[in-house]
Amino acid sequence: MILSLRELRRHDFQLSGINIFRQKPRYRSLEVKKRPYNSFLLILHGCCTYRFPEGSFDLVPGSVVYLPYGSAHHLDIHSEEIEFYRIDFHLTVDGEVVLFSTAPLKMCHTASEESM
């Protein structure tokens, strides 16, 4: 089920499995074939590109991206180091998984660590 935030407010929903990570990965590339949860990322330092079947986008410090449950994507890190927050979660309405999109979405490019 795909819902906007405005539409989500009209439903009784369940938010579970929330995990927040601050990461400094050492890998240069990562491929995900089927994401096991919804996630938001906030890029703190460094830059990278997310590629997915529908397109791609570059992320820089302050970028926020939504990665939907079940999506496939490929991450390429361009800077020497990268650091980001990742928030994983499960969101359901009447037992059905809720997505904000079927493809990754660049939500913002000006957020700060204090926003988290």
Side-chain angles (χ1 to χ4, degrees), residues 6-55:
R6 175 169 280 134
E7 293 169 320
L8 183 63
R9 293 188 312 204
R10 297 184 199 137
H11 297 274
D12 289 329
F13 61 88
Q14 295 74 44
L15 184 60
S16 63
I18 301 169
N19 290 298
I20 302 172
F21 306 92
R22 187 172 183 155
Q23 294 183 285
K24 285 184 169 184
R26 301 228 183 263
Y27 50 77
R28 309 306 304 152
S29 180
L30 175 69
E31 182 176 7
V32 175
K33 294 184 186 217
K34 187 174 181 184
R35 189 155 198 84
Y37 31 70
N38 285 297
S39 297
F40 287 106
L41 295 181
L42 167 62
I43 305 299
L44 300 173
H45 306 287
C47 58
C48 62
T49 299
Y50 266 96
R51 293 183 285 122
F52 44 96
E54 298 82 3

Side-chain angles (χ1 to χ4, degrees), residues 8-110:
L8 183 63
R9 293 188 312 204
R10 297 184 199 137
H11 297 274
D12 289 329
F13 61 88
Q14 295 74 44
L15 184 60
S16 63
I18 301 169
N19 290 298
I20 302 172
F21 306 92
R22 187 172 183 155
Q23 294 183 285
K24 285 184 169 184
R26 301 228 183 263
Y27 50 77
R28 309 306 304 152
S29 180
L30 175 69
E31 182 176 7
V32 175
K33 294 184 186 217
K34 187 174 181 184
R35 189 155 198 84
Y37 31 70
N38 285 297
S39 297
F40 287 106
L41 295 181
L42 167 62
I43 305 299
L44 300 173
H45 306 287
C47 58
C48 62
T49 299
Y50 266 96
R51 293 183 285 122
F52 44 96
E54 298 82 3
S56 68
F57 45 71
D58 295 322
L59 302 176
V60 298
S63 296
V64 175
V65 63
Y66 166 68
L67 301 171
Y69 169 84
S71 66
H73 54 83
H74 191 99
L75 168 65
D76 294 310
I77 297 172
H78 305 300
S79 53
E80 286 296 315
E81 292 185 0
I82 191 164
E83 184 175 10
F84 53 83
Y85 278 111
R86 188 181 91 212
I87 303 171
D88 299 336
F89 61 97
H90 294 288
L91 182 62
T92 59
V93 170
D94 296 329
E96 188 175 347
V97 174
V98 174
L99 307 175
F100 299 120
S101 169
T102 57
L105 289 175
K106 188 173 182 181
M107 308 289 291
C108 175
H109 64 275
T110 59

